[in-house]
Amino acid sequence: MTASAPPRGLSDTVRACLWMLGGIASFTTMAVAGREVSVTLDTFEIMLYRSVVGVIVVLAIGTATGSLRTVTTRNLPLQTVRNIAHFTGQNLWFLAITLAPLAQVFALEFTSPLWVLLLAPLLLGERVRAAQYAVAAIGFGGVLLVAQPFSGSISPGLIWAGLAAIAFAVTNLLTRRLTRTETVTGILFWLTVLQLIFGLVAAGYDGVIARPDAAALPFVVLIGFAGLTAHFCLTNALRLAPAATIMPIDFARLPLIAVIGALFYAEPLDPLVLFGGAVVFGAAWANLRLAERA
């Protein structure tokens, strides 16, 4: 697949950062669209229709560019494990955004970089320095300021968001591993095809699959496009820099979604959101500086 890539004169770490910013915009769009369609579709149905759109887009662009010939089955077992992890995490995430404020869901999702830091040496053999653990811990402290998960009873939505974060960490690490031998088109092809299969099974196990109505259809299409572009950006970022280096950049989604939740869903915008957002931005920046000096 092709896209307008970040300028080639920049370092790989900075280019990876720019790809991550594209992913942030895509994931935020998907969250808003997912909230809108959750009234008429369950999470399995949302994932099913997202995958239908994704398959159409990948096949169309892959055919037009000739990149479909780079799709192989040599890593199909690993592709399957990656997509089981992602399918699980994405369904839990869509469920969480219907049960808890968007800022809290994103805040708990952002524990994913911490799981990446913990699991990267084990799954990828990547070296993680003590300073990187320190700045990631500071960033997680900012997340806690926003989510305040221990200020009262923990809702099911927050539990699902926390479990989704672990699944996303595994997904990101396996994506990084696949980028060593697979093309972006190959990864996105198996992402959409396998998750279409998973979605059909999960949504149709009871014999009933709801169809999106006229009001929901545009949001369903938007989820499909946003999900695909998010993974396209993320895969390119992971190809350019270690997972432990770039994933903390994803913290930037938090203040953005907090403002969106306040403006469009009347979710309280606590001052701690702004302070916590500043903390996580600082941690992400510090981690990038450490990577540049490595």
Side-chain angles (χ1 to χ4, degrees):
M1 299 180 70
T2 61
S4 296
R8 288 285 176 180
L10 301 176
S11 69
D12 282 351
T13 301
V14 174
R15 290 170 58 215
C17 177
L18 294 176
W19 280 119
M20 285 299 295
L21 293 178
I24 288 169
S26 299
F27 281 122
T28 302
T29 299
M30 189 166 57
V32 173
R35 172 72 72 89
E36 293 296 323
V37 301
S38 63
V39 177
T40 56
L41 301 174
D42 64 33
T43 56
F44 291 138
E45 290 162 348
I46 293 172
M47 286 294 292
L48 170 62
Y49 292 121
R50 170 193 163 171
S51 298
V52 169
V53 174
V55 167
I56 293 172
V57 173
V58 169
L59 290 178
I61 297 179
T63 301
T65 62
S67 60
L68 277 181
R69 59 176 172 267
T70 67
V71 177
T72 72
T73 59
R74 62 187 170 214
N75 286 311
L76 188 55
L78 185 59
Q79 298 270 19
T80 302
V81 172
R82 174 194 181 269
N83 282 290
I84 289 174
H86 181 265
F87 185 79
T88 301
Q90 194 70 80
N91 274 284
L92 291 172
W93 185 80
F94 274 124
L95 181 59
I97 63 176
T98 68
L99 299 174
L102 292 173
Q104 285 191 308
V105 172
F106 274 42
L108 288 183
E109 180 195 344
F110 291 156
T111 61
S112 184
L114 298 182
W115 289 105
V116 167
L117 286 170
L118 292 173
L119 296 174
L122 178 64
L123 296 182
L124 299 181
E126 292 182 352
R127 176 176 171 267
V128 180
R129 291 178 289 165
Q132 288 178 289
Y133 283 117
V135 296
I138 293 171
F140 181 58
V143 168
L144 293 180
L145 287 173
V146 177
Q148 303 176 46
F150 307 114
S151 61
S153 59
I154 301 297
S155 72
L158 297 184
I159 295 174
W160 303 143
L163 292 175
I166 299 175
F168 288 150
V170 174
T171 301
N172 292 331
L173 287 167
L174 294 181
T175 300
R176 173 71 174 171
R177 186 169 173 180
L178 284 167
T179 58
R180 296 172 178 173
T181 57
E182 298 293 331
T183 64
V184 174
T185 299
I187 293 172
L188 292 179
F189 173 84
W190 288 115
L191 166 75
T192 55
V193 170
L194 289 174
Q195 300 219 23
L196 175 58
I197 296 172
F198 300 157
L200 280 170
V201 173
Y205 78 97
D206 59 355
V208 178
I209 299 178
R211 290 181 295 180
D213 56 24
L217 184 59
F219 290 107
V220 169
V221 174
L222 185 59
I223 289 171
F225 275 100
L228 197 60
T229 56
H231 283 275
F232 181 56
C233 291
L234 180 61
T235 301
N236 276 287
L238 290 169
R239 185 183 293 276
L240 292 168
T245 298
I246 64 169
M247 290 316 298
I249 302 169
D250 204 30
F251 281 135
R253 271 193 287 154
L254 183 54
L256 176 61
I257 200 64
V259 171
I260 290 174
L263 291 177
F264 297 100
Y265 300 105
E267 296 176 358
L269 183 58
D270 194 303
L272 285 177
V273 170
L274 301 179
F275 181 65
V279 171
V280 294
F281 268 120
W285 178 83
N287 199 55
L288 285 173
R289 295 291 294 171
L290 286 170
E292 291 283 5
R293 295 173 181 175

